[in-house]
């Protein structure tokens, strides 16, 4: 199945090269960039092509068991497609899958292509990728951004990092589509996070001052199925209100969601470091909420040791050969489905119930 998908994608790419009239969908951002952000990778936007792919038949009506659609998305991205290295055909096929799912749910998805030159081991490398965006209008025009990156590293098949986050995002997008939500929701699947977080930096750099001021929070979903505990992080002080709201809601509804305890002095309790797609948004003044599964009590107590050190690669799943759905399912029976259900439930509650008034 994976070979068929990639062959179809390659044929489409080759035909597109022969037909310069083919172009990507319109971008969902202002064409005039704001003042450049410090340390933002330089990106020159060029037309890109999304290869064709036929997604699995997933019912678009609700109700359906919580996590059932997410599980199918997780399997398609990490098993059918497999590893999705930045700028690869596999990453492009994943982008088209996400676009197709948004379309099937009734959204009007857009793509935001970007290109960036980075330093490789021996020479400069050009990264061509795209962000896939879908918007759910709410009662208020004020926005909540929900993001997850869909690329992965070469090692493993990127089930945890980060097909899992995309899977949660897509199921929640299905669940809120026909619901009245307090705020407008902007779902963004970011490309090329594993290469200097280019996709999220590019998106944030294109936001106008009005768009930034109109955004309540950026919610990031990254690596949510493998680690020992389910966490939510956020800014310190009042900007961490959604983190605190999520913890209270989860406790009231029987979900085991915690925040990191602050035993490492480099990371104040409840917060996270400068990794992940939230960083670009925080740099322009947008508060963040971050969902992740790991274990802050192990190793250097910095969140990178996810499980017991006898498992995975010295306790690490992401960025290793152990980031594979079959391994995670076999090693942690029931964990994947439980985590999908937890994060979908909490995120859905935020998007349908939380207000800052």
């Amino acid at each position: 199945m994976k070979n068929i998908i990639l062959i179809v994608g390659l044929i489409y790419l080759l035909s597109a090269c022969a037909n310069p009239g083919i172009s990507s969908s319109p971008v969902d951002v202002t064409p005039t960039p704001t003042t450049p952000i410090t340390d933002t990778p330089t990106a020159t936007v060029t037309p890109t092509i999304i290869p064709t792919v036929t997604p699995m038949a997933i019912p678009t009506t609700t109700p359906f068991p919580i996590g059932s659609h997410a599980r199918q998305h997780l399997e398609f991205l990490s098993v059918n497609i497999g590893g999705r290295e930045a700028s690869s055909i596999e990453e492009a096929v994943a982008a088209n899958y996400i676009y197709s799912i948004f379309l099937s749910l009734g959204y009007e998805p857009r793509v935001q292509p970007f290109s960036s030159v980075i330093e490789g081991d021996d020479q400069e490398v050009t990264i061509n990728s795209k962000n896939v965006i879908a918007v759910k209008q709410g009662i208020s025009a004020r926005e909540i951004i929900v993001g997850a990156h869909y690329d992965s590293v070469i090692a493993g098949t990127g089930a945890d990092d980060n097909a899992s986050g995309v899977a949660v995002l897509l199921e929640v997008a299905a669940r809120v589509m026909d619901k009245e939500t307090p705020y407008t929701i902007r779902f963004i699947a970011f490309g090329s996070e594993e290469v200097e977080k280019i996709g999220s930096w590019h998106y944030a750099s294109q936001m106008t001052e009005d768009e930034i001021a109109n955004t309540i929070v950026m919610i990031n979903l990254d690596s949510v199925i493998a680690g020992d505990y389910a966490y939510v992080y956020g800014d310190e002080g009042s900007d961490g209100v959604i983190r605190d709201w999520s913890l209270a809601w989860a406790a009231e509804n029987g979900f085991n969601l915690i925040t990191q305890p602050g035993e490492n002095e480099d990371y104040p309790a409840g917060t996270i470091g400068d990794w992940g797609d939230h960083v670009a948004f925080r740099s322009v003044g947008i508060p963040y909420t971050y969902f992740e599964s790991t274990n802050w009590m192990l190793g250097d107590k910095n969140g990178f040791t996810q499980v017991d050190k006898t498992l995975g690669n010295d306790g690490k799943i992401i960025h290793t050969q152990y980031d594979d759905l079959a391994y995670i399912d076999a090693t942690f029976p029931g964990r994947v489905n439980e985590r999908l259900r937890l994060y979908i439930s909490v995120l859905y509650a935020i998007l349908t119930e939380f207000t800052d008034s």
Side-chain angles (χ1 to χ4, degrees):
M1 179 64 176
K2 178 181 176 182
N3 290 337
I4 293 174
I5 293 170
L6 296 183
I7 289 171
V8 171
L10 182 57
I11 291 172
Y12 191 88
L13 283 172
L14 292 174
S15 66
C17 292
N19 182 0
I22 298 176
S23 63
S24 64
S25 300
V27 298
D28 190 25
V29 293
T30 175
T32 304
T34 57
T35 304
I37 301 172
T38 304
D39 296 330
T40 303
T42 301
T44 301
V45 176
T46 56
T48 59
I49 301 300
I50 299 180
T52 56
V53 58
T54 302
M56 66 190 74
I58 298 178
T60 58
T61 57
T62 55
F64 46 84
I66 298 175
S68 59
H69 286 194
R71 176 76 194 205
Q72 293 179 73
H73 297 314
L74 174 60
E75 291 175 357
F76 196 93
L77 290 166
S78 66
V79 178
N80 293 52
I81 298 176
R84 304 165 303 282
E85 186 181 5
S87 204
S88 68
I89 289 178
E90 290 87 349
E91 188 200 38
V93 172
N96 189 64
Y97 175 77
I98 296 163
Y99 183 98
S100 299
I101 294 298
F102 279 139
L103 198 63
S104 72
L105 294 172
Y107 288 93
E108 297 180 357
R110 299 287 184 268
V111 295
Q112 181 189 42
F114 55 87
S115 181
S116 183
V117 178
I118 65 169
E119 292 295 331
D121 294 335
D122 301 315
Q123 59 185 356
E124 290 185 335
V125 177
T126 299
I127 299 295
N128 294 301
S129 186
K130 59 191 71 69
N131 299 322
V132 185
I133 305 154
V135 177
K136 160 70 172 69
Q137 296 299 325
I139 297 172
S140 170
R142 296 178 66 202
E143 290 191 357
I144 292 176
I145 292 175
V146 179
H149 74 89
Y150 61 90
D151 64 313
S152 68
V153 297
I154 296 175
T157 58
D160 185 37
D161 187 15
N162 185 38
S164 65
V166 175
V168 170
L169 181 152
L170 290 175
E171 177 160 329
V172 172
R175 290 183 175 277
V176 301
M177 180 59 189
D178 296 322
K179 300 294 182 182
E180 187 173 79
T181 58
Y183 303 110
T184 295
I185 306 161
R186 185 171 296 266
F187 296 102
I188 310 176
F190 296 110
S192 300
E193 185 267 359
E194 300 291 358
V195 184
E196 301 176 6
K197 302 180 285 291
I198 299 174
S200 52
W201 275 111
H202 181 70
Y203 187 91
S205 73
Q206 302 300 296
M207 296 180 74
T208 66
E209 291 184 5
D210 287 344
E211 289 169 337
I212 292 169
N214 191 51
T215 303
I216 298 168
V217 66
M218 186 274 178
I219 299 175
N220 193 36
L221 303 157
D222 201 341
S223 303
V224 298
I225 58 171
D228 287 336
Y229 301 104
Y231 290 90
V232 59
Y233 319 120
D235 283 300
E236 295 183 86
S238 59
D239 282 346
V241 62
I242 293 184
R243 174 198 60 212
D244 298 337
W245 189 94
S246 301
L247 289 168
W249 185 93
E252 291 172 3
N253 289 275
F255 291 100
N256 294 319
L257 182 68
I258 60 176
T259 194
Q260 69 93 353
E263 291 195 6
N264 185 330
E265 62 182 15
D266 292 331
Y267 306 100
T271 65
I272 196 173
D274 60 352
W275 57 87
D277 284 319
H278 69 294
V279 176
F281 295 90
R282 192 182 188 193
S283 75
V284 298
I286 297 173
Y288 77 93
T289 299
Y290 193 129
F291 290 106
E292 176 189 48
S293 289
T294 187
N295 192 333
W296 280 81
M297 304 303 292
L298 298 177
D300 294 329
K301 298 185 177 182
N302 59 8
F304 287 99
T305 304
Q306 299 165 273
V307 296
D308 188 277
K309 301 190 84 171
T310 62
L311 303 172
N313 182 1
D314 200 30
K316 189 176 182 181
I317 303 296
I318 63 171
H319 295 193
T320 75
Q321 62 181 317
Y322 301 101
D323 190 358
D324 179 82
L325 187 57
Y327 176 82
I328 298 170
D329 272 335
T331 308
F332 313 103
R335 179 174 293 183
V336 172
N337 292 348
E338 180 273 326
R339 291 295 162 73
L340 292 175
R341 182 173 180 272
L342 183 157
Y343 287 112
I344 289 165
S345 298
V346 175
L347 180 58
Y348 178 81
I350 293 170
L351 300 181
T352 58
E353 299 178 28
F354 171 81
T355 62
D356 63 354
S357 57

